Amino acid sequence: MRHAGIRCKPRAELRDREAELLHLDHSAVSSSLTWASLVDALAAMFRDGCEAPLRHAHGWAEGEERNTLLLMPAWQAGRYTGVKIVHVAPGHVPAVHAAYLLSDAVTGVPLALLDGGALTDRRTAAASLLAARHLARPDSRRLMLLGSGKVAHALAEAYRAAFPIEEIAVWSRDPRNVERLASRLRAEGHPAMAVDDPDPGEADIVSAATLSRTPLLRAGSVRPGTHVDLVGAFRPDMRESAGDLLAAATLVVDTRAGALAEAGDIVQAVAEGAIGPEHVAADLADLCRGTHPGRRNAAEITVFKSVGWAGEDLAAAILAYEDAVSGAARE
């Protein structure tokens, strides 16, 4: 992959001298993070591990709204450190802005500043795709998307890249937004259509990327063999699924610590008594290390719940940076 205007030294040389900070914009990040390479990078990170504390969240009042600052650090000794900085300002459009700083773990030299929006959208969808490799039926052909934002768009691209998807039904609470996303997907060659009803009864894979505070999916609404991908509810007061769906499914999370602390679907289901913490069958590290088999039969209902892990951002940032360095070295 070649990136115009990039001039940088291989990482080993950066330990001996200062280097110009590399800037990777939205386009450069997106083009570097192909679905296949990104899923492989995430799998390696979940398998090998890194240090990644739970994210720091700080809020303050801005008029009638409450803004939030999120800090997500992660590091691998002897390799890289990184931190994602996210500002969420609900009263503005766009409401979320993010940046990622990647540094050399040995010297502390800053290496690259990456567009955090592109990084987040693609690593989020790639984590869902990594889970689906283990949990969805390989012959899944019908995808239902709940949500119409940037992450929903990335999810559609990701699933089409890895499964024989022949139909994408798109739903959100705002008809204008859902038609806009469906039209964009069709223009890009995807078989998408807007629907009025979030009924997942005909879907093989249901992927939800919303900010819902009330359940959109229940046990009786999905058929046997469905894989449900819950992406959007990243705070304890949000949820996209009812407790009975989680109770009826094989439940897998990105990380146990993050899911049990922050995932509203799980936190609320536990509080209601629908499930206990032990109902979480596995996390992505278990799947990637082979300590859990993933889907065991064609009729099994599987659920993947993600809230985001700083190790995913670190893996994506390393992949984008090393791709840029390799491209510059060839010029």
Side-chain angles (χ1 to χ4, degrees), residues 57-61 66-69:
H58 306 278
W60 66 93
R66 185 168 180 80
N67 286 12
T68 303
L69 171 65

Side-chain angles (χ1 to χ4, degrees), residues 69-195:
L69 171 65
L70 302 173
L71 305 175
M72 299 178 66
W75 61 91
Q76 287 181 318
R79 297 194 70 218
Y80 296 95
T81 71
V83 60
K84 186 167 73 174
I85 304 171
V86 185
H87 285 87
V88 184
H92 299 269
V93 178
V96 180
H97 295 274
Y100 196 91
L101 179 64
L102 183 72
S103 301
D104 187 290
V106 176
T107 65
V109 172
L111 301 176
L113 184 64
L114 300 90
D115 183 278
L119 188 83
T120 301
D121 293 346
R122 294 188 78 81
R123 69 81 159 148
T124 299
S128 289
L129 196 57
L130 173 59
R133 276 185 177 180
H134 299 271
L135 298 173
R137 300 193 326 272
D139 62 347
S140 295
R141 300 182 183 278
R142 287 171 290 192
L143 170 67
M144 179 163 216
L145 286 178
L146 306 182
S148 55
K150 293 184 294 181
V151 174
H153 179 266
L155 287 162
E157 283 190 355
Y159 278 113
R160 277 273 285 167
F163 288 86
I165 301 297
E166 298 174 348
E167 177 184 303
I168 303 175
V170 187
W171 174 90
S172 79
R173 289 192 170 96
D174 189 329
R176 293 169 300 178
N177 288 344
V178 72
E179 184 52 53
R180 186 179 301 118
L181 176 58
S183 296
R184 179 182 177 187
L185 290 172
R186 287 195 298 272
E188 294 169 352
H190 303 295
M193 61 179 178
V195 296

Side-chain angles (χ1 to χ4, degrees), residues 52-66:
L54 286 177
R55 61 189 170 200
H56 304 251
H58 306 278
W60 66 93
E62 288 287 354
E64 297 181 356
E65 300 289 349
R66 185 168 180 80

Side-chain angles (χ1 to χ4, degrees), residues 86-318:
V86 185
H87 285 87
V88 184
H92 299 269
V93 178
V96 180
H97 295 274
Y100 196 91
L101 179 64
L102 183 72
S103 301
D104 187 290
V106 176
T107 65
V109 172
L111 301 176
L113 184 64
L114 300 90
D115 183 278
L119 188 83
T120 301
D121 293 346
R122 294 188 78 81
R123 69 81 159 148
T124 299
S128 289
L129 196 57
L130 173 59
R133 276 185 177 180
H134 299 271
L135 298 173
R137 300 193 326 272
D139 62 347
S140 295
R141 300 182 183 278
R142 287 171 290 192
L143 170 67
M144 179 163 216
L145 286 178
L146 306 182
S148 55
K150 293 184 294 181
V151 174
H153 179 266
L155 287 162
E157 283 190 355
Y159 278 113
R160 277 273 285 167
F163 288 86
I165 301 297
E166 298 174 348
E167 177 184 303
I168 303 175
V170 187
W171 174 90
S172 79
R173 289 192 170 96
D174 189 329
R176 293 169 300 178
N177 288 344
V178 72
E179 184 52 53
R180 186 179 301 118
L181 176 58
S183 296
R184 179 182 177 187
L185 290 172
R186 287 195 298 272
E188 294 169 352
H190 303 295
M193 61 179 178
V195 296
D196 298 327
D197 186 355
D199 178 9
E202 297 301 317
D204 300 311
I205 298 172
V206 182
S207 187
T210 74
L211 300 179
S212 179
R213 293 172 186 257
T214 57
L216 302 171
L217 300 165
R218 299 183 180 276
S221 64
V222 300
R223 63 179 180 171
T226 303
H227 173 59
V228 178
D229 174 30
L230 302 174
V231 178
F234 62 92
R235 294 198 317 241
D237 61 332
M238 297 175 174
R239 69 190 308 184
E240 296 173 314
S241 66
D244 63 352
L245 174 58
L246 302 190
T250 298
L251 176 60
V252 176
V253 299
D254 48 1
T255 67
R256 281 184 170 85
L260 292 172
E262 299 181 312
D265 294 87
I266 296 175
V267 171
Q268 293 182 51
V270 170
E272 294 164 355
I275 62 170
E278 70 282 355
H279 189 69
V280 176
D283 59 20
L284 279 180
D286 294 323
L287 297 183
C288 293
R289 293 168 183 166
T291 58
H292 187 279
R295 174 174 287 274
R296 288 162 290 194
N297 59 72
E300 185 178 7
I301 295 174
T302 56
V303 171
F304 173 64
K305 174 59 197 157
S306 63
V307 292
W309 179 52
E312 298 167 13
D313 298 300
L314 180 62
I318 292 170

